C-alpha cells in the first residue's frame, strides 16, 4: 500500500535559518503530493501541492519539488520565522482513487527568536 | 481556497453523554467528507468516509454504533460520539472533497473533545 515517511522531529531552528523537512513516499500509481501545516490547537491547512513529476509547489516562502526518480517531496524555506512554528504533514493522494490522503507522521518545527 | 468549518471548536462533557460535532463546507458542495481523530503529537487517523445520502464507510477498528455519522446534505456532515467515555477524548477533524475538483481535501479547524 501507499506510505509516506517524514523525518522525525522536532526540528529546532533559529529565526532566519534555512529549513528542510524530508519526505519520501511509496505509491502504486501516480500520486499527487501535498504539504499541510497544523498550528497549535488548529486543524490542517493546505500549504502547497504538486500533481506531477518535476512540479514545484510554493506558498508563503515554502517550496517543494515533486521528484519521481527519488520518490521525494522535501519541504524547504530559505528563512524561517517564529510564526512558522507548527507541525508539518506530508501527504499523498492517488489520482483516480478514493481521495483519502495518506499522511506522514508529521514533523514539529520550533523556531526560536 | 475552500472553507470548512466545525462546530463546536471545543466541548467538555460528562461520561455517558452524547456529543454531536458538525462539519460544514461553507462555499462549496462536498460530495464526500472524512472524519479523522488525532491523538497528541500524532498524525491523523481516518475514522470514516461519509458520502451524501448514503451510509458512512468506517475504517477497521472504528465502532460505527459509537461514532454515528450523518451526511444529510452536500454541505453538512455530523459526527455523534454516543455514550462518551474519557478514552474518547481527542481532537476530531473533518475534511471535505468535491467531486470533479482537483484531488485536494480541505480540512476543518478541528474539535477538541474532553470527556470527564
Amino acid at each position: 500500500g501507499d506510505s509516506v515517511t517524514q523525518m522525525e522531529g522536532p526540528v529546532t531552528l533559529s529565526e532566519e535559518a534555512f529549513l528542510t523537512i524530508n519526505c519520501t513516499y511509496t505509491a502504486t500509481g501516480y500520486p499527487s503530493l501535498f504539504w499541510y501545516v497544523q498550528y497549535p490547537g488548529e486543524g490542517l491547512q493546505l500549504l502547497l501541492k504538486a500533481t506531477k513529476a518535476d512540479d514545484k509547489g510554493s506558498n508563503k516562502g515554502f517550496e517543494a519539488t515533486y521528484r519521481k526518480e527519488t520518490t521525494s517531496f522535501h519541504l524547504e524555506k530559505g528563512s524561517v520565522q517564529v510564526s512558522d512554528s507548527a507541525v508539518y504533514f506530508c501527504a499523498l493522494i492517488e489520482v483516480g482513487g478514493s481521495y483519502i490522503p495518506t499522511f506522514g507522521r508529521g514533523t514539529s518545527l520550533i523556531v526560536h527568536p | 481556497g475552500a472553507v470548512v468549518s466545525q462546530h463546536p471548536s471545543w466541548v467538555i462533557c460528562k461520561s455517558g453523554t452524547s456529543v454531536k460535532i458538525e462539519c460544514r463546507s461553507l462555499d462549496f458542495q462536498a460530495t464526500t467528507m472524512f472524519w479523522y481523530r488525532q491523538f497528541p503529537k500524532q498524525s491523523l487517523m481516518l475514522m470514516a468516509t461519509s458520502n451524501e445520502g448514503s451510509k458512512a464507510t468506517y475504517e477497521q477498528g472504528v465502532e460505527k454504533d459509537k461514532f454515528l455519522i450523518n451526511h444529510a446534505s452536500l454541505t453538512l456532515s455530523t459526527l455523534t460520539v454516543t455514550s462518551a467515555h474519557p478514552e474518547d477524548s481527542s481532537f476530531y477533524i473533518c475534511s471535505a472533497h468535491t467531486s470533479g475538483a482537483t484531488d485536494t481535501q480541505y480540512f476543518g479547524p478541528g474539535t477538541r473533545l474532553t470527556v470527564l
Side-chain angles (χ1 to χ4, degrees):
Chain A
D2 297 345
S3 67
V4 175
T5 303
Q6 288 181 237
M7 61 187 291
E8 291 210 16
V11 173
T12 304
L13 296 172
S14 297
E15 205 165 24
E16 299 183 0
F18 184 86
L19 168 71
T20 299
I21 300 179
N22 290 337
C23 170
T24 57
Y25 68 90
T26 58
T28 53
Y30 299 96
S32 293
L33 302 175
F34 304 82
W35 277 100
Y36 286 90
V37 58
Q38 185 178 33
Y39 297 101
E42 299 183 13
L44 272 67
Q45 298 176 27
L46 177 64
L47 182 60
L48 54 84
K49 68 176 184 179
T51 58
K52 61 182 186 296
D54 299 325
D55 269 2
K56 177 184 285 188
S58 61
N59 185 29
K60 300 180 181 179
F62 291 89
E63 58 181 34
T65 301
Y66 189 145
R67 300 289 188 198
K68 188 177 178 182
E69 63 276 14
T70 55
T71 61
S72 65
F73 193 56
H74 304 322
L75 182 68
E76 296 182 335
K77 186 174 185 182
S79 175
V80 294
Q81 305 299 313
V82 173
S83 58
D84 294 327
S85 298
V87 180
Y88 293 82
F89 291 92
C90 185
L92 70 82
I93 295 179
E94 288 275 13
V95 176
S98 64
Y99 301 107
I100 299 173
T102 298
F103 286 99
R105 293 175 62 91
T107 301
S108 175
L109 170 65
I110 301 169
V111 181
H112 293 294
Chain B
V3 179
V4 176
S5 71
Q6 280 185 241
H7 177 80
S9 55
W10 60 269
V11 57
I12 301 173
C13 69
K14 292 183 179 180
S15 187
T17 61
S18 294
V19 175
K20 179 184 285 187
I21 302 170
E22 293 186 348
C23 176
R24 293 182 184 272
S25 56
L26 297 184
D27 52 0
F28 65 101
Q29 293 184 328
T31 51
T32 304
M33 288 184 172
F34 303 89
W35 287 96
Y36 296 85
R37 184 173 179 177
Q38 186 181 31
F39 293 100
K41 298 185 178 181
Q42 295 190 26
S43 189
L44 280 68
M45 181 191 78
L46 179 66
M47 299 175 66
T49 303
S50 168
N51 291 296
E52 186 267 337
S54 63
K55 290 184 178 180
T57 302
Y58 291 82
E59 295 298 300
Q60 190 172 10
V62 178
E63 299 177 60
K64 62 180 181 180
D65 294 331
K66 180 163 188 65
F67 299 100
L68 301 179
I69 292 172
N70 182 276
H71 194 156
S73 76
L74 287 172
T75 60
L76 173 65
S77 177
T78 60
L79 167 67
T80 302
V81 183
T82 62
S83 187
H85 292 285
E87 58 265 30
D88 298 326
S89 298
S90 193
F91 194 53
Y92 293 88
I93 303 175
C94 73
S95 69
H97 173 268
T98 59
S99 175
T102 59
D103 48 11
T104 302
Q105 287 202 9
Y106 298 96
F107 287 82
T111 297
R112 171 74 59 194
L113 170 64
T114 302
V115 184
L116 302 177

